[in-house]
Amino acid sequence: MSLVTKPTVIFPEHEVSQDQMVNVLKELFPYHPKWDTVERMIRNTQVDHRNLLSPIDQVITHPGFEYRNKLYKDHGLKMASRVAKQVLDDNKMTPNDIDMLMVVSCTGFLMPSLTSYIISDLGFRPNTKQLPVAQLGCAAGAWALNRAYEYIKAYPDHNVLLLSVEFSSLLFQPEDSKISSLISNCLFGDAVSGCIIKGAYEDGDEGYLIEGIDSFVKKDSDHYIKYDVKSTGFHFGLDKEVMHSIKDVAPIMKGLIKDECEKEINDLDFHLFHTGGRKILDELVSNLDLVEENVSKSRQSLKNHGNIASGVVLDVLNKEFESKTRKNGDTGMMAAFGPGFTAEINHGTWIKN
Amino acid sequence: MSLVTKPTVIFPEHEVSQDQMVNVLKELFPYHPKWDTVERMIRNTQVDHRNLLSPIDQVITHPGFEYRNKLYKDHGLKMASRVAKQVLDDNKMTPNDIDMLMVVSCTGFLMPSLTSYIISDLGFRPNTKQLPVAQLGCAAGAWALNRAYEYIKAYPDHNVLLLSVEFSSLLFQPEDSKISSLISNCLFGDAVSGCIIKGAYEDGDEGYLIEGIDSFVKKDSDHYIKYDVKSTGFHFGLDKEVMHSIKDVAPIMKGLIKDECEKEINDLDFHLFHTGGRKILDELVSNLDLVEENVSKSRQSLKNHGNIASGVVLDVLNKEFESKTRKNGDTGMMAAFGPGFTAEINHGTWIKN
């Protein structure tokens, strides 16, 4: 049984408000032909502020793919190590207790991957299994929890450490004035997060016990959410068609909860939804007939941090822990969406003994 | 129980002999101060010829990271689809029979990944689970089989399709005259391969039944086998210290076979070793006191194709199938080595009913 314990989510120090962002982009593209539309859409993101790896004047310059990837490695390793130590401490565990280390991260590329560096630097066992994933974007957090669920089904007393390292600000492309890119520049935030998924949990443990999982790939949707890979690094691309994916995945989400929990989604006690963006959350509310309260923690995460990619579901889960309103036996679900269009879904029960 | 069935391994059409390679590099670096050493070391690779994605005069020019990544995507998708169809046919299966699709590939970067494209293009079920891995280099083939073993332990009647897509020629860096880089340019070959790992196998099935697995990460070895990520793409780096890794992993390999099979490695009937390069195989022979015959299929793969990265273990396994000498109940092992230094090891029994 996979018990997802309390996540740690940390943010780099440089905070930027959406007002600042509007001014910065206006200065960068003073003659943008559609500036009024751009500004209106930025205001509509419902992002209030975000934390970025570097001061904003550095974010908007491009020091080269190589330098950015070096920043990614240095800060990624430092922050991921901090998160790893924190969640180990919180669980009264040592690196020795971890059987598999997952690192999900789509905003830089390393080989060897961070899994290898962390196993070596933090003194994990040399036989710790590695699962580094770079290609599942915003879906990767929920994806990793689903894979941890499967792994623990095979090894019921094993423990998995999941780390999410996302520095979307390293993908800022100052030459790119497409409306969708300017909006994306104001949507994504930087964060490093992680949690431990325990196989054999004990009295006193609290967490989200995953009890069922599902996956979804939408046919012919490769252009919805994607990277173009160039000498300047990864160029994030978003097609507005992506909004129509939610109507395709909604029946699958409903079906899973109906079939496995004999409930409607609104009847669940907690909802751990990826933020995507404001419109994705609106589409969820509309297609699942959700009570607005059920997306409130996702909206709050979006407002305060922007979309922190694979880390969003951990941030929303963390808010459930911090709200201290969850009771033993509460039922809930998680869903995240990413490139492809891909969705990863799970459901389970809150454990609090 | 995970039965690894007969792999398909396909090669792009452009063959280059090591003699041609020597001439091409000599022309590219006519005044290389250490040319005699370079030529001697190239001759020592024991690679006879390799197949590359493009004619050699195109391989040695750099059309840009973006263009190369486009070649990677177009050819990768085309060849991986061909391999997927072939192994499905060989197993009398349809895409509907596959529960998880793994794509391992370290010579290009795509988001969405090839898993997503293949699920969509070939009509796999929308709920097919994706496992794309880009950061485990040459270890990724054996790594994926180990993860498939775990997955099938959780879902005993599921089937996994594994595809390996490796076009190392897309990493040729014409500006790089380091001796180790020139040797690497003559060592790695391009190939796409794949196989199906069956949960519930039937009478008449033949294959390698994995019965035990192990993983290893060597401390402080991140510089042994690595990429530098630059605007010109991935730059492969190899430190000769890597040779010393085999002495560290050898006891772990011996231990696994001793503990779980109560045998010595030479007592096993077949050996599916990653080729690495000639010296890695020599180190294996030396540190494991191997009978030379036990690395012969790996040496043959190296000679005819070069090191095809994550695909090597599938090519060597394929040679076991094609040799038709394996009997039901034969015991064997697999080991592959990659960035980090990372090793993935497994052992099992040949099934032939």
Side-chain angles (χ1 to χ4, degrees), chain A residues 15-34:
Chain A
E15 192 178 300
V16 61
S17 71
Q18 207 65 313
D19 281 341
Q20 278 176 283
M21 236 7 238
V22 166
N23 291 334
V24 162
L25 289 179
K26 205 168 178 173
E27 264 181 56
L28 199 60
F29 300 103
Y31 306 110
H32 196 290
K34 303 255 180 167

Side-chain angles (χ1 to χ4, degrees), chain A residues 175-191:
Chain A
E175 305 292 315
D176 183 356
S177 64
K178 282 197 301 295
I179 294 181
S180 64
S181 303
L182 296 180
I183 311 309
S184 299
N185 289 337
C186 300
L187 178 62
F188 290 96
D190 296 349

Side-chain angles (χ1 to χ4, degrees), chain A residues 255-324:
Chain A
L256 180 72
I257 303 307
K258 192 85 180 169
D259 293 350
E260 300 198 359
C261 312
E262 296 179 359
K263 287 190 176 186
E264 300 298 329
I265 289 183
N266 272 325
D267 300 334
L268 298 172
D269 303 296
F270 60 95
H271 303 77
L272 312 165
F273 294 135
H274 176 62
T275 56
R278 185 186 61 81
K279 282 206 69 170
I280 290 285
L281 287 171
D282 292 349
E283 284 290 311
L284 272 180
V285 169
S286 149
N287 282 282
L288 295 171
D289 301 314
L290 287 183
V291 178
E292 181 58 34
E293 169 64 19
N294 292 340
V295 295
S296 65
K297 289 193 175 64
S298 300
R299 290 208 197 270
Q300 197 188 330
S301 180
L302 183 64
K303 185 179 173 196
N304 294 333
H305 311 301
N307 173 345
I308 57 169
S310 61
V312 170
V313 290
L314 297 187
D315 187 51
V316 177
L317 175 61
N318 193 38
K319 291 188 193 320
E320 287 294 344
F321 276 92
E322 293 191 336
S323 74
K324 298 187 189 300

Side-chain angles (χ1 to χ4, degrees), chain B residues 56-227:
Chain B
I56 187 64
D57 54 325
Q58 285 174 32
V59 166
I60 61 165
T61 57
H62 198 318
F65 188 31
E66 183 174 359
Y67 185 77
R68 279 188 169 172
N69 207 59
K70 190 175 158 12
L71 285 179
Y72 168 82
K73 180 188 153 186
D74 293 347
H75 290 276
L77 183 54
K78 204 163 132 186
M79 291 177 71
S81 299
R82 213 178 108 201
V83 168
K85 284 176 192 165
Q86 185 63 51
V87 292
L88 285 168
D89 278 358
D90 289 350
N91 282 279
K92 297 183 180 59
M93 284 180 172
T94 69
N96 216 34
D97 297 310
I98 300 299
D99 299 283
M100 177 178 272
L101 174 60
M102 297 180 171
V103 175
V104 295
S105 178
C106 65
T107 53
F109 187 82
L110 295 177
M111 194 167 88
S113 81
L114 285 172
T115 52
S116 171
Y117 285 98
I118 289 168
I119 286 171
S120 180
D121 288 9
L122 269 64
F124 283 74
R125 300 196 315 260
N127 69 346
T128 308
K129 294 158 182 184
Q130 302 173 69
L131 205 171
V133 161
Q135 296 165 280
L136 286 162
C138 292
W143 176 91
L145 294 181
N146 285 356
R147 302 296 80 79
Y149 168 85
E150 294 165 343
Y151 177 75
I152 287 172
K153 202 170 157 79
Y155 298 93
D157 60 345
H158 279 205
N159 301 308
V160 175
L161 170 58
L162 164 63
L163 299 169
S164 154
V165 178
E166 302 290 19
F167 300 136
S168 299
S169 67
L170 294 177
L171 272 53
F172 190 98
Q173 299 292 349
E175 305 292 314
D176 183 356
S177 64
K178 283 197 300 296
I179 295 181
S180 63
S181 303
L182 296 179
I183 310 310
S184 299
N185 289 336
C186 299
L187 177 63
F188 291 95
D190 296 348
V192 176
S193 52
C195 67
I196 287 170
I197 304 102
K198 292 177 82 164
Y201 60 93
E202 294 155 19
D203 274 2
D205 283 344
E206 181 176 9
Y208 170 48
L209 189 72
I210 301 181
E211 292 170 315
I213 63 174
D214 205 357
S215 302
F216 174 67
V217 178
K218 183 171 154 69
K219 200 169 166 59
D220 299 328
S221 63
D222 50 87
H223 56 293
Y224 285 14
I225 305 171
K226 63 161 187 173
Y227 280 169

